[in-house]
Amino acid sequence: MSGPDISVVICVYTEDRWEDILAAVSSVRAQSYPALETLLVVDHNAALLDRLTKEYKEATDVRVLANAGPRGLSAGRNTGIAASYGEVIAFLDDDAVAERDWLRHFAAGYTDPHVMAVGGRTEPIWASGRRPDWFPAEFDWVVGCTYRGLPRGQVKVRNVLGGNASFRRTAFDFAGGFATGIGRDGDRLPLGCEETELCIRLSRARPDAVLLIDDRAVIHHRVPGPREHFRYFRTRTYAEGLSKALVARSVGAGKGLESERRYTTRVLPAGVARGLRDAVLARPGGAGRAGAIVAGVLTAAGGYVVGSVRARRGGVTYSVVGIEGAPGIEGGPR
């Protein structure tokens, strides 16, 4: 099959997601465009590392390895990149499953040599079986999913979303790896934006780089019960503000908040209006959705202010490292 060889990296950290991890790997194995390999990167959990090693000891298409850097998602991804053989490296969340043509649509984007990254669409699988009435689709990023307001089709974007994304290997040669010190770290405060920072850094290093989202590249992401509650919504929006402040401090508010300005001035007011209209029409959750949007904006703004103060005082830092030891595609598994 013509097209780039694609390595898939799945970062894992807890045995609580055992069945989800197995389902994620199975979805990669079922792709219509076969992956070159799947790498399971275990984040400082010896029991999980041992269990997965035994589970896939006979597999030729799955490799299990320990995160070689500090605890956290960014270092885990960097470990996977360095150990992979593919011309393209794709990332899949450990609690998600990919549709059959996920990698096929990623591969199609790389026919243009200027394309350095291709992301996809992430749909929520709610633990309760349905979206909570109060939960606005404009804030689906809170649960790691594609939110209302993102452009549809195959379009150029500032950044892809990390749980459903791919990068050409050379992107990391130009920009370095994912920054450690931001992004998720197990069950701690759910920070994010590491893929945003990387994509902006990549675009600066290669001004001709093209980053795409193709919404035909679909994955389905589990949303556990606790994340369906307003308490998590509030925590996550606050953490997003903290993260955005750190990114803006690094790359400048102009680029760091470019997409967010459109989102807050166009997408969210339309969402509030939609919610109030639904409330007037006595549709379930309309007032709750409008209120959640307002609360989300205020909480994120509060996080941004706190994060900006911390960044100025030097209380929050992150580091970017090069990807060393990447074997490249020559001599890799076939």
Side-chain angles (χ1 to χ4, degrees):
M1 183 179 296
S2 62
D5 287 334
I6 303 180
S7 297
V8 177
V9 174
I10 303 174
C11 295
V12 302
Y13 72 98
T14 175
E15 290 185 87
D16 293 342
R17 292 185 178 180
W18 179 257
E19 295 299 330
D20 291 337
I21 295 168
L22 299 186
V25 173
S26 293
S27 75
V28 175
R29 286 175 149 177
Q31 290 296 300
S32 61
Y33 186 101
L36 177 67
E37 58 184 347
T38 300
L39 293 88
L40 292 171
V41 183
V42 183
D43 192 14
H44 298 272
N45 185 328
L48 180 58
L49 179 66
D50 181 64
R51 190 177 178 186
L52 285 171
T53 299
K54 292 176 180 176
E55 178 72 23
Y56 292 106
K57 66 180 179 181
E58 304 295 335
T60 59
D61 60 332
V62 179
R63 286 193 283 150
V64 180
L65 56 155
N67 179 2
R71 177 181 165 91
L73 181 57
S74 291
R77 286 173 172 166
N78 291 341
T79 297
I81 296 164
S84 64
Y85 290 94
E87 181 184 349
V88 169
I89 299 98
F91 299 94
L92 178 66
D93 276 348
D94 63 345
D95 54 355
V97 291
E99 290 192 359
R100 179 172 169 77
D101 291 329
W102 177 59
L103 291 182
R104 182 179 296 278
H105 293 305
F106 276 175
Y110 291 101
T111 56
D112 179 350
H114 292 100
V115 171
M116 288 287 135
V118 182
R121 186 171 87 248
T122 302
E123 297 289 348
I125 304 174
W126 301 97
S128 61
R130 61 188 294 273
R131 173 187 297 276
D133 288 339
W134 65 270
F135 202 113
E138 291 82 0
F139 275 80
D140 276 4
W141 56 263
V142 165
V143 292
C145 295
T146 300
Y147 55 91
R148 178 181 287 156
L150 281 179
R152 302 302 301 266
Q154 188 185 68
V155 293
K156 295 180 181 179
V157 291
R158 179 195 66 181
N159 64 276
V160 296
L161 304 180
N164 179 10
S166 63
F167 291 85
R168 201 182 291 275
R169 175 177 295 281
T170 52
F172 303 107
D173 296 333
F174 296 127
F178 287 92
T180 59
I182 58 176
R184 289 185 177 270
D185 179 357
D187 295 317
R188 294 174 59 188
L189 188 66
L191 299 174
C193 296
E194 68 277 10
E195 66 274 5
T196 301
E197 192 276 335
L198 170 63
C199 289
I200 293 173
R201 189 168 10 105
L202 172 60
S203 295
R204 286 185 165 182
R206 281 292 302 267
D208 62 338
V210 175
L211 287 68
L212 299 175
I213 283 183
D214 186 338
D215 66 5
R216 299 171 300 172
V218 180
I219 69 169
H220 299 269
H221 183 271
R222 291 191 179 278
V223 181
R227 296 188 183 186
E228 295 186 7
H229 299 297
F230 184 72
R231 180 178 179 180
Y232 181 81
F233 180 91
R234 184 181 59 218
T235 300
R236 181 68 185 87
T237 51
Y238 177 76
E240 184 73 3
L242 291 175
S243 302
K244 280 291 191 297
L246 192 57
V247 171
R249 180 74 171 173
S250 170
V251 303
K255 199 66 177 177
L257 300 177
E258 181 180 56
S259 298
E260 288 73 15
R261 290 192 180 92
R262 176 188 175 277
Y263 174 71
T264 54
T265 59
R266 298 182 185 181
V267 175
L268 295 186
V272 171
R274 193 179 300 110
L276 294 176
R277 180 199 63 196
D278 288 347
V280 170
L281 296 174
R283 293 173 180 167
R289 289 191 296 275
I293 291 174
V294 173
V297 170
L298 294 176
T299 306
Y304 184 85
V305 171
V306 172
S308 297
V309 171
R310 289 180 181 176
R312 284 197 298 270
R313 292 176 177 175
V316 180
T317 60
Y318 69 92
S319 60
V320 177
V321 297
I323 303 295
E324 298 181 0
I329 61 173
E330 293 185 5
R334 290 289 183 265

